[in-house]
Amino acid sequence: MAVPKILLYYSFKPVPDTDAVKLWQRDLCEGLGLRGRIIISKHGINGTVGGDINAVKTYLKKTKEYFGKMDAKWSDGTGFDSEGFSLDFPKLSVKARDELVAFGAPDEVQVGSHGVIGGGKHLKPAQVHELVAERGEEVVFFDGRNKFEAEIGRFKNAVVPDVETTHDFVNELESGKYDHLKDKPIVTYCTGGIRCEVLSSLMINRGFSEVYQIDGGIVRYGETFGDEGLWEGSLYVFDGRKTIDFSEGAKKIAKCAVCGTSTSWMNNCLDASCRAQLPSCEGCADAVWCEAHSATADPRSAGTSKTNDQLSKATSNA
Ligand SMILES: [Zn+2]
Ligand SMILES: [Zn+2]
């Protein structure tokens, strides 16, 4: 019987011919019946794919033959459609781009055969706790995601930069807002770790002197400590699941934008052209409009499903 699985992975390794790798990856996924999103750049590969466990295992094995060691995380998928494709992804998308994650700094980031050159030191989840035990409140957790992702879950007392997309980070770091943190131990974190590989190097280049990154990101931290550590809330993810809780006791730290109820859900603004994500409770899902669109809210268009649309709009900031 088919078992639905989702694989999230990345590898930083120089890719001399991104178009050739793109074609190979598309063929590989099509042959195995996988869906998902894969980005290839001269810096490496980043992807999330869903399908039957055996197909996904074969995919990972083949991809490792080219990229070598990679950070790979497994989770359970929702199921399959009538044709046997993963329900967690609307389609297969394989793209070659300038950057694996769009920071707008393709030429600043340097990658060697062992990964990003000059990035923050990797800490395993237990080492994060050791650092906090040693240095106490001096340690600063720095969110490497888009601001909206932090609304439903973040490290306690974390600094959450004011970024709508990853592209905003460079300006944010250069704004002077965080200069008082330049001599502090900073632990960057993001969903699966890839954004921090780049972000931590950008921070070090801009004078932050002691920068760490959580190995495997929030996902790996959650696997280790669940809700018993320094993490609080739910984890936003860019696939059909939308959020992951590490335990039944996950705290709902966001307030519904419509009625104020505590929630761990994020929903798209109902305006079809809008990418804004707002916390909302399940009961208010048909009434979620961002500030810019609340004035033009048309009650007749509310409640229409655009799930697949939303997914294809979501950026692959794994
Ligand atoms: Zn509500
Ligand atoms: Zn909107």
Side-chain angles (χ1 to χ4, degrees):
M1 213 190 83
V3 178
K5 285 283 178 185
I6 295 171
L7 173 70
L8 177 68
Y9 69 91
Y10 68 83
S11 174
F12 281 93
K13 184 192 161 167
V15 176
D17 187 344
T18 52
D19 283 331
V21 171
K22 181 180 85 175
L23 294 175
W24 162 58
Q25 281 282 314
R26 182 174 293 147
D27 273 358
L28 181 59
C29 289
E30 282 174 357
L32 290 165
L34 301 181
R35 276 182 181 173
R37 284 186 305 274
I38 296 165
I39 293 170
I40 295 132
S41 87
K42 63 181 180 182
H43 297 143
I45 188 167
N46 173 29
T48 175
V49 295
D52 172 55
I53 184 167
N54 291 319
V56 180
K57 273 187 183 168
T58 304
Y59 170 80
L60 180 59
K61 187 166 157 272
K62 297 266 183 205
T63 302
K64 274 182 169 172
E65 282 171 16
Y66 184 91
F67 284 97
K69 188 179 146 252
M70 46 172 58
D71 184 279
K73 299 177 196 74
W74 290 86
S75 51
D76 292 331
T78 307
F80 301 103
D81 66 13
S82 58
E83 290 169 84
F85 289 109
S86 167
L87 285 173
D88 298 301
F89 300 94
K91 59 180 184 176
L92 173 66
S93 157
V94 185
K95 290 189 172 134
R97 293 215 178 124
D98 284 347
E99 297 176 284
L100 290 186
V101 189
F103 278 90
D107 298 322
E108 182 179 336
V109 179
Q110 298 298 314
V111 173
S113 54
H114 295 290
V116 175
I117 297 166
K121 192 176 171 211
H122 287 85
L123 295 180
K124 301 229 179 303
Q127 292 174 309
V128 173
H129 284 201
E130 282 165 27
L131 182 72
V132 171
E134 257 171 52
R135 310 282 291 275
E137 301 206 334
E138 207 196 340
V139 178
V140 176
F141 284 87
F142 195 91
D143 205 303
R145 302 171 298 163
N146 305 315
K147 192 179 176 187
F148 78 83
E149 295 172 69
E151 294 216 31
I152 54 166
R154 56 185 174 258
F155 278 87
K156 288 168 195 164
N157 304 315
V159 170
V160 178
D162 189 13
V163 300
E164 251 176 68
T165 74
T166 306
H167 215 277
D168 300 335
F169 266 111
V170 169
N171 280 341
E172 187 73 0
L173 290 175
E174 292 175 353
S175 69
K177 274 191 220 172
Y178 309 105
D179 284 0
H180 63 292
L181 304 177
K182 284 189 169 170
D183 295 322
K184 303 238 173 176
I186 294 177
V187 179
T188 65
Y189 65 89
C190 62
T191 314
I194 185 171
R195 286 179 272 184
C196 291
E197 299 272 4
V198 176
L199 175 64
S200 65
S201 79
L202 299 178
M203 291 179 84
I204 289 167
N205 290 351
R206 283 161 184 74
F208 293 84
S209 58
E210 191 180 351
V211 183
Y212 303 92
Q213 53 183 317
I214 302 184
D215 204 31
I218 301 160
V219 171
R220 185 81 11 98
Y221 182 91
E223 284 168 7
T224 312
F225 292 110
D227 294 306
E228 306 297 314
L230 304 165
W231 171 260
E232 198 168 69
S234 302
L235 173 61
Y236 185 90
V237 289
F238 291 88
D239 61 50
R241 297 170 297 173
K242 300 212 77 170
T243 60
I244 296 174
D245 286 349
F246 296 123
S247 75
E248 300 215 335
K251 219 168 145 183
K252 295 183 195 300
I253 67 168
K255 297 260 181 287
C256 172
V258 184
C259 74
T261 306
S262 294
T263 182
S264 59
W265 282 89
M266 295 294 286
N267 276 300
N268 270 75
C269 168
L270 288 166
D271 185 281
S273 67
C274 184
R275 297 176 70 120
Q277 297 261 353
L278 302 118
S280 113
C281 73
E282 281 174 70
C284 293
D286 287 347
V288 182
W289 302 91
C290 76
E291 229 170 273
H293 291 114
S294 60
T296 58
D298 176 359
R300 284 167 307 174
S301 65
T304 51
S305 167
K306 55 164 189 157
T307 308
N308 278 3
D309 234 38
Q310 289 170 351
L311 285 172
S312 54
K313 278 200 297 180
T315 48
S316 59
N317 277 329

